[in-house]
Amino acid sequence: MRRVVVTGMGVASPLGVGLEHVWRRLINGESGIGAIQSFDTSNLPSKVAGQVPQGSKADGKLDLAEWIPVKDQKKMDRFIHLAMVAATEAVEDSGWLPEDEEDRCATGVMIGSGIGGLQSIYDASVQVHEGKARRLSPFFIPSALINLASGQVSIKYGFKGPNHSAVTACATGVHAIGDAARLIMLGDADVMVAGGAEAAVCELGMAGFAASRALSTAFNDEPARASRPWDKDRDGFVMGEGSAILVLEEYEHAKQRGAKIYAEVGGYGMSGDAHHITAPAEQHEGAFRAMQAALRSGGLAPSDIQYVNAHGTSTPLGDDLELEAVERLFGDAAKGLAMSSTKSATGHLLGAAGAVEAAFSILAVRDGVVPPTLNLDEPPASSSALSDHQKPPRPSRRRRVLASLLVAVLAVGLLVAGGWFYALHVLAAPGPLPEARTLVVPRGGEERVAVALADAEIVARPLPFRIAAFLTRHEGRLHAGEFAFPAHASLRTVLTVLRTARPVQHYLTIPEGLTGKQIAALLERADALTGAAPVPEEGTVLPQTYAYERGASRQAVLDRARAAMDRALRDAWHDRAPDLPLASPREALILASIVERETAKPEERPHVAAVFLNRLKLGMKLQSDPTVAFAATGGAGALDRPLTRADLDRDDPYNTYRIRGLPPGPICSPGLASLRAVTQPMQSDDLYFVADGSGGHVFSRTLDEHTRNVARWRSLSQTPTELR
């Protein structure tokens, strides 16, 4: 099985929008649950929910206009809006924006939802009930369909791989990620954009769950206290909305392009308890077997696990049974296990819950921080998985001595409190940078970094930056590299960029049809690259766009391009049509390079390839002008003059007017379309083609037809065209 890693993440949740912003609020013990303001709750027993806060992106809030054009918003339900926001962040975080067809076809999307477009369905049903059926939007059905979250993301980015959705209630988000990972493991995709989205905080959704007596109703006046997993006062779950999306990627694929890797998908398990439509089975037998299956698929023992992000919905029955299942599975290992429920801060996001909590679990591993369970005032006394981590331990004698010392220094702490609050103000204050810019941050310690930032006017002075870096050192180390800084970035923003941002990505586009010398010149002109630019052997580089960071070597980019061509040629040869007059992948590469230079129209290439293949089968000379030009220039590139009779008569192994069969090597680096054209040509008996005056060609089966076509072309052009 192929290994799968996570290379990008995006979150829109009741705690805000943006992965790092949401994570900071979560580990700071903040709650995203509040009173419902978006509709009238006077007839509902539960009046609280976790809703994505509205506001600007800069403040970690949601303004849809910053993410989705207004004209497109009307075509989507809110759950798709939230999926698009999270997916956009995740894809951009991953840096995976493929431009060639092969990579797009190897990139899929699997985003699920438990309910889908509930508000859209409700609004449409009211409209029909009121006799306004003819006024229904033509986008009503696609806006409500669950699979259109995946569809809209794939349309935005051109991802043409597996496009799928999971619909399994609260397990949806985890199932989408797990199933997407398996598609990569099995080779059906190299990259999958996966997760969940939900927007059921609406009058109908709240009424429906209230009717089943599932929602919390005892904390309407204290919304932040309503979600309290395992606490003795819990009385039901709190509805939430949001989305989380992960970019999953085959490990070697991620390594080859230098992707940032958050984590590896180590195991995945599923089960059903065949018990009841909503209530869990006794001892939470289904959850027990799902966790058991995940450990088994990952080859892990219970003692290997350090943290469990629990389902922990805050329901009286479900919490206890889940806890029992965890302790039964982990046995004695539960004593060393940390477990928490982040639903205490977000509410229950239904189909998005598993995806959001997967992102939180990955960040917990990254930072070595266990997110807290809010409102757990009285945990179950019998729980080893909870009590050892949520209750304060009985203090040892040493801790009692330290507590006494703490009292002694408290007065000193009060004296410096003012300084601390001033420091917080300095951290958040706008910086001096007048407009956004990039900077190459040097290696060599905080002092060099601080001086470089001050010289670039990103920070006002080196000393405050160094103090801020020291005070926030627990948030991670600073990284060197080229980074983008927004205008007026605060010290907090600058530090966040240096700790968590992806370095600026530069892009090198290698067009189809270039010779090795032309590619070397292109590499030489890329000033963010370093080192020599060797001339690659003809045909060994795959034309496409390559991302790299400043300071990367030209050799490294060239090696990636060579590896990409090796893969593309291998795949094209594997999928080739039967009975081709080609003996090896190299012969396919040679012919593809000729097809590449013969026509600039992708739709013509399978036809041009068919003509050359037919001529090879009959032993005819290819008579391709680009091979003559290649011979005349010594591989330097395009000829800057018309071909002459002397060129056509030149005795050269690349001159296909003189030789039969293929030349000894490629004449350029062909693109994917030309490789596919040669290995999967059009079905045709044609043996000739000539330019038609519009940039394309006219094809013919007989020499008489071809002669007439050539005469027609000569009447349109002053440039003589040789017969093929």
Side-chain angles (χ1 to χ4, degrees):
M1 285 285 192
R2 305 197 305 170
R3 297 170 65 185
V4 180
V5 295
V6 180
T7 57
M9 295 194 287
V11 176
S13 82
L15 287 169
V17 176
L19 183 71
E20 298 298 339
H21 171 79
V22 170
W23 176 241
R24 282 194 298 273
R25 292 198 67 198
L26 178 69
I27 61 177
N28 285 339
E30 299 178 46
S31 174
I33 297 170
I36 296 173
Q37 304 291 338
S38 55
F39 56 88
D40 181 16
T41 61
S42 59
N43 292 324
L44 298 172
S46 180
K47 306 176 189 299
V48 301
Q51 295 182 275
V52 179
Q54 303 301 299
S56 71
K57 184 193 297 187
D59 295 327
K61 297 180 180 180
L62 178 61
D63 178 356
L64 276 179
E66 295 183 280
W67 298 88
I68 306 170
V70 174
K71 65 180 180 65
D72 293 333
Q73 292 177 27
K74 299 176 182 178
K75 303 174 185 177
M76 311 172 194
D77 184 85
R78 183 170 173 81
F79 88 98
I80 300 180
H81 293 162
L82 298 176
M84 292 289 284
V85 170
T88 299
E89 183 188 14
V91 170
E92 292 180 358
D93 181 41
S94 75
W96 179 244
L97 296 163
E99 296 187 2
D100 68 83
E101 187 72 3
E102 182 183 30
D103 285 338
R104 285 178 174 174
C105 291
T107 304
V109 188
M110 185 181 291
I111 300 172
S113 180
I115 297 179
L118 190 60
Q119 183 65 53
S120 294
I121 294 170
Y122 174 75
D123 291 342
S125 66
V126 170
Q127 198 171 347
V128 172
H129 179 71
E130 293 175 346
K132 301 175 182 177
R134 291 182 178 274
R135 298 185 185 178
L136 274 182
S137 166
F139 298 109
F140 158 55
I141 293 296
S143 74
L145 290 176
I146 287 174
N147 68 293
L148 258 294
S150 296
Q152 291 286 6
V153 172
S154 71
I155 290 168
K156 176 176 180 177
Y157 290 107
F159 297 153
K160 297 183 178 180
N163 197 278
H164 202 353
S165 289
V167 186
T168 48
C170 311
T172 295
V174 169
H175 279 167
I177 293 168
D179 290 349
R182 286 187 172 172
L183 287 176
I184 295 173
M185 291 175 187
L186 293 170
D188 293 317
D190 291 332
V191 181
M192 290 292 295
V193 179
E198 204 74 86
V201 181
C202 60
E203 197 168 358
L204 181 59
M206 294 293 292
F209 281 105
S212 63
R213 302 182 183 276
L215 299 180
S216 171
T217 60
F219 295 90
N220 287 331
D221 295 331
E222 300 177 282
R225 298 186 62 220
S227 185
R228 44 196 322 107
W230 300 296
D231 187 77
K232 78 174 186 63
D233 291 332
R234 68 189 187 276
D235 71 323
F237 74 81
V238 175
M239 284 277 279
E241 66 171 5
S243 175
I245 304 297
L246 276 58
V247 176
L248 307 176
E249 192 166 347
E250 193 274 322
Y251 175 58
E252 294 297 337
H253 186 277
K255 274 205 322 181
Q256 186 172 15
R257 70 180 185 90
K260 169 180 60 182
I261 295 177
Y262 283 102
E264 181 173 1
V265 179
Y268 171 49
M270 297 180 286
S271 72
D273 57 20
H275 175 67
H276 186 271
I277 57 172
T278 56
E282 187 177 352
Q283 295 186 314
H284 224 326
E285 185 260 346
F288 175 85
R289 287 188 295 102
M291 291 186 288
Q292 197 174 47
L295 289 175
R296 184 169 58 248
S297 78
L300 299 169
S303 57
D304 294 324
I305 307 301
Q306 295 176 307
Y307 171 62
V308 171
N309 188 297
H311 190 45
T313 58
S314 189
T315 57
L317 178 61
D319 287 7
D320 285 345
L321 289 175
E322 181 182 18
L323 190 54
E324 183 180 341
V326 169
E327 293 188 323
R328 184 157 65 96
L329 177 70
F330 283 86
D332 290 340
K335 295 176 181 178
L337 184 70
M339 183 164 78
S340 65
S341 172
T342 49
K343 288 185 179 70
S344 59
T346 64
H348 191 352
L349 275 61
L350 307 180
V356 170
E357 289 150 22
F360 290 163
S361 298
I362 289 168
L363 294 175
V365 172
R366 183 193 73 178
D367 294 349
V369 176
V370 174
T373 301
L374 305 185
N375 306 314
L376 185 48
D377 300 331
E378 293 192 46
S382 61
S383 168
S384 57
L386 283 178
S387 58
D388 288 349
H389 295 277
Q390 301 292 348
K391 284 183 173 180
R394 186 172 182 269
S396 64
R397 183 176 184 279
R398 184 183 177 203
R399 287 177 178 167
R400 291 197 297 272
V401 171
L402 290 175
S404 299
L405 290 174
L406 178 61
V407 173
V409 301
L410 185 57
V412 178
L414 289 173
L415 291 176
V416 300
W420 173 251
F421 285 111
Y422 174 73
L424 292 178
H425 167 74
V426 171
L427 272 173
L433 188 61
E435 57 185 28
R437 65 160 293 178
T438 61
L439 176 70
V440 179
V441 177
R443 301 181 184 277
E446 286 177 9
E447 183 175 359
R448 287 195 67 196
V449 172
V451 170
L453 292 169
D455 288 346
E457 298 184 347
I458 293 171
V459 301
R461 297 183 306 280
L463 183 58
F465 172 81
R466 295 187 66 188
I467 293 172
F470 175 78
L471 292 176
T472 59
R473 63 192 182 281
H474 62 282
E475 296 180 8
R477 65 186 183 88
L478 306 181
H479 299 286
E482 185 180 16
F483 294 97
F485 297 92
H488 304 293
S490 66
L491 285 178
R492 165 63 72 186
T493 299
V494 172
L495 288 165
T496 299
V497 167
L498 295 178
R499 285 178 172 133
T500 65
R502 182 183 178 87
V504 172
Q505 297 295 292
H506 295 265
Y507 298 92
L508 175 71
T509 298
I510 301 176
E512 291 89 346
L514 295 189
T515 65
K517 292 178 181 178
Q518 291 172 317
I519 292 170
L522 199 65
L523 285 164
E524 188 62 42
R525 292 194 295 272
D527 57 7
L529 291 172
T530 60
V535 177
E537 184 182 347
E538 295 299 347
T540 59
V541 170
L542 184 67
Q544 63 179 18
T545 297
Y546 296 91
Y548 62 90
E549 296 174 11
R550 181 175 291 277
S553 71
R554 292 180 173 86
Q555 184 66 58
V557 173
L558 190 57
D559 288 345
R560 288 167 54 200
R562 285 169 170 157
M565 177 58 89
D566 288 344
R567 289 196 305 272
L569 182 58
R570 181 177 63 248
D571 293 345
W573 185 252
H574 178 270
D575 297 335
R576 69 189 183 278
D579 302 325
L580 294 178
L582 301 171
S584 67
R586 179 167 175 79
E587 289 193 357
L589 178 64
I590 294 170
L591 185 56
S593 73
I594 298 173
V595 171
E596 185 68 62
R597 294 302 300 268
E598 278 286 3
T599 177
K601 288 191 170 184
E603 66 273 16
E604 274 195 351
R605 286 171 185 151
H607 203 164
V608 170
V611 169
F612 284 139
L613 290 166
N614 290 339
R615 293 174 76 97
L616 286 174
K617 288 178 182 178
L618 295 173
M620 299 172 66
K621 294 175 182 177
L622 296 185
Q623 295 186 314
S624 168
D625 289 358
T627 63
V628 181
F630 182 83
T633 63
L639 197 62
D640 58 1
R641 58 173 175 78
L643 291 177
T644 65
R645 174 54 61 182
D647 294 323
L648 299 177
D649 292 339
R650 185 190 303 270
D651 187 13
D652 190 285
Y654 282 88
N655 183 355
T656 55
Y657 279 80
R658 296 291 303 274
I659 68 165
R660 293 188 185 277
L662 294 168
I667 62 171
C668 70
S669 280
L672 290 170
S674 294
L675 288 171
R676 292 197 187 98
V678 166
T679 53
Q680 299 178 44
M682 174 181 174
Q683 294 298 312
S684 172
D685 295 330
D686 291 332
L687 293 171
Y688 308 91
F689 61 87
V690 69
D692 63 4
S694 68
H697 294 82
V698 59
F699 297 82
S700 53
R701 188 171 61 85
T702 67
L703 183 59
D704 286 344
E705 290 177 274
H706 181 59
T707 302
R708 289 193 294 272
N709 291 336
V710 170
R712 190 177 301 113
W713 162 239
R714 284 176 172 162
S715 69
L716 298 172
S717 171
Q718 298 301 312
T719 302
T721 301
E722 298 297 333
L723 298 186
R724 289 181 175 80

